[in-house]
Amino acid sequence: MLWGISYFSYSVHPQTGGYKNIHQWKTTALIDSAKAHNSKVFLTVSNFGKKNNTIFLNNPKAQNTLIDSISNLLAYRNANGITIDFEGIPKNTKDKFTKFIVLISNKLKAINPEYMISLSLYAMDWNDIFDIHHIDPYIDFYTLMGYDYYGSFSKTTGPVTPFITSNKFGKGLQASVQNYSNKGVNFKKLIVGLPYYGAEWYTNSPETGANVVEFKSHPSYKSIRKAYIDSLKIPLQFDPTSASSYIVIKDNDSTFRQLYFEDVKSLSIKYDWIKNTKISGVGFWCLGYDNGYPELWDLLYEKFSKEHNKNSTQH
């Protein structure tokens, strides 16, 4: 079912370009499984935060060390390339980030022309960090992180991935895709990533878009199913504007919890739109968040499997 997996992650040490952590990249059987099923394997390169990105992007030596280190790790697992996931890039380092993308793409492709370079795009590029016109020749595909429109930072409750722009929830997935299309991202090179997790808040009201008292957590799909839907039998609700599912838990007369997440119903609407818009594909964060519940795999099969579509045509 999977065209590719992106292993998270080579966490960059910004001062040196070496890694703080590569987790089980060298040993995980996940990569062997992926290859056995003809799935491509990418190593995510992550660097988060304004300070870390400023340090790294102002350090050519660290950048070259990173590229050498990455090329060794790709060769070690016979991988297919990298996913660049740099978040919190300051506006004043935009040009240096652009140059880094060109550098790492050129150097890795000089080592192996088959290596693919992917770039993770923010849901909303508020600081206009991505110079698509300049970097596009060096990027094989883009992965839109189509989530966290609402989260721990939110003052009101709302969907992790609102679908269309609305007065209530603001801009959503369609606006993000249109924004990157306007910047020059070709849909043939775009994968839209969607969340297999939710966002939960404490509120004083059961109404959608209520003021947040406190953020609680980002539970995985399997946790939501197990803890709330299967065990507590809390009724599932659906917001048609954002095409998102949610539940409201009443703790007492004045305290509530609101939890927004994606499920078969909400994902089905978004998948159909992705297909109709001729976007190249869909991704999700992250593998295993639905472990034990096959319905999300079944939906992917129904919507995207060539085998299923071929059988459907025959019938």
Side-chain angles (χ1 to χ4, degrees):
M1 280 303 301
L2 298 181
W3 171 80
I5 59 163
S6 201
Y7 187 85
F8 195 86
S9 75
Y10 181 114
S11 179
V12 178
H13 193 295
Q15 282 88 355
T16 66
Y19 55 80
K20 296 176 186 173
N21 203 333
I22 50 167
H23 305 278
Q24 290 82 43
W25 172 259
K26 291 185 176 181
T27 57
T28 177
L30 173 68
I31 292 170
D32 304 306
S33 286
K35 289 181 180 172
H37 292 88
N38 298 315
S39 171
K40 296 186 185 302
V41 175
F42 303 95
L43 176 57
T44 302
V45 186
S46 64
N47 197 33
F48 294 166
K50 188 175 179 179
K51 183 181 175 185
N52 288 338
N53 280 303
T54 300
I55 292 168
F56 178 75
L57 292 170
N58 281 297
N59 190 338
K61 186 179 177 185
Q63 292 174 36
N64 284 310
T65 299
L66 171 96
I67 294 165
D68 290 342
S69 179
I70 287 286
S71 66
N72 289 333
L73 291 168
L74 293 180
Y76 188 80
R77 295 309 302 260
N78 192 24
N80 299 95
I82 62 167
T83 299
I84 300 167
D85 183 10
F86 279 32
E87 299 180 32
I89 298 167
K91 205 168 189 175
N92 62 1
T93 59
K94 173 180 178 174
D95 290 346
K96 287 175 178 173
F97 181 57
T98 299
K99 287 176 182 173
F100 168 68
I101 289 172
V102 174
L103 178 72
I104 195 168
S105 179
N106 281 337
K107 287 208 165 188
L108 288 179
K109 287 177 182 287
I111 293 165
N112 183 347
E114 297 296 311
Y115 280 155
M116 299 179 78
I117 312 298
S118 168
L119 178 63
S120 296
L121 301 173
Y122 315 146
M124 292 291 176
D125 185 13
W126 297 114
N127 288 327
D128 192 31
I129 294 302
F130 301 115
D131 184 353
I132 301 297
H133 178 72
H134 197 129
I135 62 177
D136 191 64
Y138 305 93
I139 299 292
D140 294 284
F141 66 97
Y142 301 90
T143 305
L144 173 66
M145 297 183 285
Y147 34 77
D148 291 345
Y149 292 80
Y150 284 78
S152 58
F153 54 89
S154 303
K155 292 181 172 60
T156 57
T157 63
V160 181
T161 306
F163 184 40
I164 61 174
T165 300
S166 66
N167 290 332
K168 190 163 199 173
F169 296 122
K171 290 183 177 179
L173 188 65
Q174 286 190 357
S176 296
V177 169
Q178 186 59 54
N179 177 50
Y180 285 112
S181 176
N182 294 345
K183 281 173 172 275
V185 172
N186 189 314
F187 285 172
K188 289 179 181 176
K189 289 172 72 168
L190 180 64
I191 291 171
V192 171
L194 294 170
Y196 274 19
Y197 66 89
E200 183 177 9
W201 300 268
Y202 293 102
T203 71
N204 292 327
S205 165
E207 300 301 321
T208 57
N211 289 332
V212 168
V213 174
E214 187 183 354
F215 175 75
K216 186 176 185 289
S217 64
H218 281 303
S220 65
Y221 178 82
K222 65 180 178 182
S223 302
I224 296 164
R225 277 291 313 265
K226 192 174 180 180
Y228 293 127
I229 297 169
D230 296 351
S231 299
L232 298 177
K233 309 291 186 195
I234 294 169
L236 191 58
Q237 301 189 61
F238 187 76
D239 177 64
T241 305
S242 64
S244 294
S245 294
Y246 69 98
I247 55 178
V248 178
I249 304 113
K250 186 175 182 180
D251 287 333
N252 55 51
D253 286 344
S254 61
T255 310
F256 301 85
R257 278 175 283 153
Q258 290 191 22
L259 169 58
Y260 290 78
F261 64 101
E262 300 293 323
D263 62 3
V264 168
K265 185 173 183 178
S266 67
L267 288 170
S268 185
I269 292 167
K270 287 158 188 169
Y271 288 170
D272 285 344
W273 176 75
I274 286 165
K275 288 171 69 177
N276 292 336
T277 312
K278 302 289 193 288
I279 291 166
S280 179
V282 68
F284 57 88
W285 178 270
C286 74
L287 195 61
Y289 273 14
D290 60 335
N291 193 25
Y293 294 93
E295 59 266 24
L296 300 189
W297 281 112
D298 293 343
L299 182 66
L300 280 171
Y301 178 75
E302 177 193 328
K303 297 295 185 184
F304 294 101
S305 166
K306 288 178 182 174
E307 182 185 333
H308 177 268
N309 291 332
K310 185 177 72 176
N311 291 339
S312 298
T313 305
Q314 287 171 350
H315 295 135

